[in-house]
Amino acid sequence: MSKMKTEDEVTAAVAGARGPLAVRGGGTRSVGRPVVGEVLDVSGLSGVTLYEPGALTLVAQAGTPVAEIEKTLAAENQRLAFEPYDLTGMLGTPGASTIGGVIATNASGPRRIMAGAARDFALGVRFVDGAGQVIKNGGRVMKNVTGYDLVKLMCGSWGTLGVLTEVSLKVLPGVEAVTTLIINGLDPARAVDAMSRALASPFEVSGAAWTGGQVWLRLEGFESSVAYRAGELKTLLSSFGDIVETDADWRIVRDAAPLHGAEAVWRISVKPSDGPAVIGALPNGCDAMMDWGGGLIWAGLSGGDIAAAHTGVQAAVAGLGGHATMIKGPEAVRTAVPVFQPEAPGVAALSASLRQRFDPKGILNPGLMAA
C-alpha cells in the first residue's frame, strides 16, 4: 500500500481493507508480535498545522517527526513536557520517530515523575477507527469537556483502536538552567532510598535515575533557583556519599543507551519501592537500570534462553502489580510469547470489548497485544 498523505486516503484504505493492516508511522516503535498484514504507512501525514506559543498549544499531523516538532518548539524556547524516549538506537531502525507513534504508545521519558506522561499533555486527537470512520475528540485547551475521553484511550492503544491522523498537545516553556547531581557506588536498594528522599524533598527534582551504579538527579529552572536547590539537595543527601555536580546527557537514561547492544530488552513498570526486588529477581546475566525513582526498570540480556527469561521477567513482575514489555527480542521469540504483560481477566475482557467497538473487523494491528 502506498504512503498515505491525507486523512481521506487513510479513511478509504481502512474502509476498503479486506484483511489485516499493519499501521506504521516512522517504523521506530515496532514492539510486540510481528503484525502480518498490509502496511498502512501514515508517515505522509506530516506537518505542524497550528502552533500558538502564547497559548502553549501545538497541533500536528500524526506522521510529523518528533525532531521537527522539537525544532519548532525550540525556536520559541518551548519544549515537549513528557520527554518522549527514542527507540531508534536500541532497535536499529532507520526511520524517524513520529508524534503519532509517541501518543499511540504513550512514550514518556525521565521528566514523567515531575510533569506527567504523554497522555497528560494530549489535548485532542483525530483518528480513523476500524470501520473507516473519522472520530475527533478533545480540543486545544486543557479544560475541554466533550463526553468520553477518547484522547486518553488512544494513548497507549498501540494502533489497535484507531489510526491517528492528528494530535493536539499542550507544551511547556523551556528552562534557563539544568544541572545533574551524581552519587557513585550505590546498589539498587540504596539508590532507591536516595532517589525517594530527593523526590520527596521540596527541591523539584525533574529526573531520578540509577545507571552503572550511579544515581542521577536532575534539577531544572531559573539559574539562581537551580543553584540553590542543588546546594540544598547535596546537604540533604550527604549521607549517601560524595556528590558530583555535572552537565549530564539525559538521553542516555531516556533511551536506555547502555542496553542498546543487548539481544533482548524489557521495559518494566512497578512501584518505585519494588524496583530493587525486581532487579534481584531478574534472570542471570541481565543488566539493569532504573528511571522514575525506581518505578521504571530497563533490563537487557544477551545469550541464553530468551523465551524462558521473558517468562521469568513477567512472572517476577506479576505478583507486584506491575507490567513488563519486551521492547527488543528475536522475532521467533516475539512470535511465540506474550510480549506485553498478560492482563487480568476483567481487564482483558474490557480491552476485547473496546477493540470490538472501535475495530469490529479486527483489522488494525491484529494480534499485536495477544498472547
Side-chain angles (χ1 to χ4, degrees):
M1 187 176 292
S2 60
K3 183 184 296 186
M4 304 291 104
K5 296 182 179 179
T6 67
E7 185 179 76
D8 287 342
E9 291 180 357
V10 175
T11 300
V14 175
R18 295 294 179 267
L21 295 174
V23 184
R24 186 175 70 190
T28 66
R29 301 182 187 276
S30 303
V31 178
R33 286 186 160 213
V35 178
V36 177
E38 190 171 11
V39 173
L40 181 64
D41 186 344
V42 296
S43 62
L45 277 72
S46 183
V48 174
T49 56
L50 176 70
Y51 178 34
E52 297 180 343
L56 295 173
T57 56
L58 178 143
V59 181
Q61 294 190 74
T64 308
V66 173
E68 179 181 330
I69 291 175
E70 291 178 332
K71 182 178 180 179
T72 299
L73 293 174
E76 297 290 339
N77 190 30
Q78 294 184 349
R79 60 181 177 169
L80 292 172
F82 47 90
E83 201 173 2
Y85 58 80
D86 188 334
L87 297 180
T88 54
M90 179 182 293
L91 300 180
T93 51
S97 175
T98 65
I99 195 62
V102 165
I103 296 302
T105 60
N106 193 33
S108 311
R111 202 175 290 115
R112 178 175 182 170
I113 56 171
M114 181 182 78
R119 64 165 55 93
D120 298 310
F121 290 86
L123 303 177
V125 293
R126 288 178 66 96
F127 64 94
V128 178
D129 70 8
Q133 303 176 96
V134 176
I135 299 175
K136 178 183 178 181
N137 187 249
R140 296 171 181 170
V141 295
M142 290 300 288
K143 294 182 179 179
N144 183 69
V145 180
T146 55
Y148 294 111
D149 195 350
L150 301 184
V151 179
K152 299 293 191 292
L153 188 65
M154 293 300 292
C155 292
S157 64
W158 288 83
T160 61
L161 301 179
V163 183
L164 286 168
T165 58
E166 182 185 85
V167 298
S168 305
L169 300 168
K170 178 187 177 183
V171 300
L172 290 185
V175 294
E176 183 177 282
V178 181
T179 194
T180 299
L181 305 183
I182 293 180
I183 312 173
N184 287 294
L186 299 185
D187 62 25
R190 188 78 167 146
V192 168
D193 284 345
M195 291 188 288
S196 297
R197 189 172 300 185
L199 291 168
S201 77
F203 305 125
E204 298 180 357
V205 173
S206 69
W210 175 78
T211 178
Q214 297 180 330
V215 164
W216 290 21
L217 300 169
R218 182 175 60 187
L219 300 167
E220 300 175 305
F222 293 111
E223 189 169 353
S224 59
S225 171
V226 169
Y228 169 77
R229 286 149 49 208
E232 292 297 305
L233 203 54
K234 287 177 184 177
T235 300
L236 178 68
L237 302 177
S238 59
S239 62
F240 289 93
D242 294 336
I243 301 175
V244 177
E245 185 172 351
T246 187
D247 180 17
D249 184 355
W250 276 80
R251 291 174 297 181
I252 293 172
V253 173
R254 186 195 71 181
D255 304 335
L259 303 179
H260 281 190
E263 187 177 358
V265 177
W266 292 268
R267 190 172 186 269
I268 304 166
S269 292
V270 292
K271 298 192 302 295
S273 57
D274 290 332
V278 171
I279 290 178
L282 291 174
N284 291 335
C286 269
D287 293 322
M289 56 187 294
M290 293 186 286
D291 197 358
W292 301 353
L296 174 63
I297 300 166
W298 293 92
L301 178 67
S302 293
D305 189 339
I306 290 177
H310 176 68
T311 301
V313 169
Q314 291 192 330
V317 172
L320 299 172
H323 56 86
T325 301
M326 178 180 280
I327 295 294
K328 177 183 181 182
E331 184 170 319
V333 175
R334 292 190 293 116
T335 301
V337 303
V339 174
F340 294 88
Q341 188 80 27
E343 297 173 324
V347 176
L350 179 60
S351 297
S353 178
L354 285 170
R355 286 195 288 270
Q356 175 60 31
R357 170 62 184 85
F358 285 94
D359 182 20
K361 294 188 291 184
I363 61 173
L364 300 179
N365 285 348
L368 178 66
M369 304 178 89

